[in-house]
């Protein structure tokens, strides 16, 4: 369980950073919930990051000899 959560967090972080959002951050809120901080992001950038995270999480995870397929429910908010 913990190994899978750590792998998911790394994937989430990498997917956002690949968009050039190097100031972004990822934190675990509780259980299987994560937060992604995107300082100064606009609505378009938020949507792009959400799609990148969704695609990253949809790829299979392999841990030891087990294969896991995850999905994500993503919400966003912008401070103005």
């Amino acid at each position: 369980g913990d190994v899978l959560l750590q792998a998911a967090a790394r994937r989430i972080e990498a997917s956002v950073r690949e968009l050039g959002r190097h100031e972004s951050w990822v934190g675990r809120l509780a259980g299987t919930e994560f937060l992604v901080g995107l300082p100064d992001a606009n609505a378009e950038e938020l949507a792009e990051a959400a799609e990148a995270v969704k695609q990253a999480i949809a790829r299979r995870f392999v841990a030891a000899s087990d294969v896991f397929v995850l999905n994500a429910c993503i919400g966003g908010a912008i401070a103005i």
Side-chain angles (χ1 to χ4, degrees), residues 27-43:
R28 185 172 169 200
L29 180 61
T32 59
E33 298 175 350
F34 291 90
L35 295 173
V36 177
L38 301 169
D40 302 318
N42 61 35

Side-chain angles (χ1 to χ4, degrees), residues 33-59:
E33 298 175 350
F34 291 90
L35 295 173
V36 177
L38 301 169
D40 302 318
N42 61 35
E44 183 178 316
E45 293 167 323
L46 180 62
E48 183 180 25
E51 184 60 31
V53 168
K54 183 178 173 185
Q55 289 179 14
I57 291 298
R59 293 193 320 263

